[in-house]
């Protein structure tokens, strides 16, 4: 079975994942914990790692099952076909989310545009392009996964 990417209505990722699970569809909505500030307090909340995306694993013939959820809009397409996410990419996301928050990474010798191979952390052995270097963070583009990674300095 393949993993597909379902595009959802804004802010519906968790609801769609919950509904699809109730319908018997295996799905994965990666969540991260962030601190949000209101005028009177700060609170830790879980938000989706990818806005408006939920990963579903099902057979090609069963792809229409996801539209039983009111929040599912369409599938993400790549080159005219539904985008398929490899199992190892899903496992990489799961591994990354299960690791501690701290990774030892040094960018002192790198410049914007450099292609690097990550030597530690959850994305070990992945090739990335340095897109941005700031005092508090850096931004890497992981082309093989089609995503941008922002890492803060501790």
């Amino acid at each position: 079975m393949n993993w597909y990417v379902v595009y959802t209505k804004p802010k519906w990722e968790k609801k769609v994942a919950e509904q699809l699970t109730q319908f018997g569809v295996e799905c994965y909505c990666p969540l991260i914990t962030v601190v949000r500030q209101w005028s009177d307090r700060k609170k830790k909340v879980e938000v989706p790692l990818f806005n408006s995306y939920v990963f579903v694993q099902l057979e090609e013939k069963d792809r229409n099952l996801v539209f039983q959820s009111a929040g599912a809009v369409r599938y993400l397409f790549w080159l005219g076909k539904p985008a398929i996410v490899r199992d190892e990419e899903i496992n990489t996301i799961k591994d990354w989310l299960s690791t501690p928050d701290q990774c030892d990474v040094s960018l002192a010798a790198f410049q914007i545009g450099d292609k690097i191979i990550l030597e530690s952390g959850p994305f070990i052995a992945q090739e990335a392009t340095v897109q941005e270097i700031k005092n508090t963070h850096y931004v890497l583009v992981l082309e093989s996964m089609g995503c941008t990674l922002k890492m803060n300095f501790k």
Side-chain angles (χ1 to χ4, degrees):
M1 288 194 293
N2 293 321
W3 284 97
Y4 296 99
V5 182
V6 175
Y7 186 76
T8 67
K9 292 180 181 179
K11 310 284 188 206
W12 273 65
E13 301 90 346
K14 291 192 271 187
K15 290 179 226 160
V16 168
E18 183 180 309
Q19 289 173 353
L20 291 177
T21 302
Q22 290 175 354
F23 298 144
V25 175
E26 183 172 351
C27 60
Y28 177 55
C29 180
L31 302 172
I32 57 173
T33 303
V34 296
V35 176
R36 294 282 164 97
Q37 175 151 0
W38 284 265
S39 60
D40 60 340
R41 68 191 183 286
K42 289 184 182 181
K43 185 176 180 181
K44 287 185 180 181
V45 293
E46 281 192 328
V47 296
L49 179 62
F50 303 106
N51 291 333
S52 296
Y53 289 161
V54 172
F55 301 99
V56 295
Q57 187 178 35
L58 37 73
E59 296 288 338
E60 173 78 25
K61 62 181 175 64
D62 297 329
R63 285 191 322 120
N64 285 335
L65 290 175
V66 301
F67 299 114
Q68 292 178 3
S69 170
V73 177
R74 62 180 170 83
Y75 280 97
L76 183 69
F77 279 76
W78 176 256
L79 299 175
K81 296 180 181 177
I84 295 175
V85 181
R86 297 187 315 252
D87 285 332
E88 56 264 19
E89 292 171 331
I90 296 291
N91 291 334
T92 299
I93 294 168
K94 289 178 180 179
D95 291 344
W96 178 61
L97 292 176
S98 67
T99 59
D101 292 337
Q102 249 178 336
C103 293
D104 295 329
V105 179
S106 173
L107 283 180
F110 300 126
Q111 296 179 3
I112 294 175
D114 286 351
K115 296 224 183 264
I116 61 171
I117 303 292
L118 300 176
E119 297 176 353
S120 66
F123 293 105
I124 192 165
Q126 292 284 329
E127 182 176 305
T129 304
V130 179
Q131 185 179 46
E132 183 178 313
I133 302 171
K134 298 288 184 183
N135 291 337
T136 59
H137 69 274
Y138 56 92
V139 176
L140 301 174
V141 177
L142 299 170
E143 294 169 8
S144 66
M145 297 181 66
C147 67
T148 303
L149 175 65
K150 177 181 175 183
M151 303 217 35
N152 294 322
F153 294 126
K154 296 282 180 176

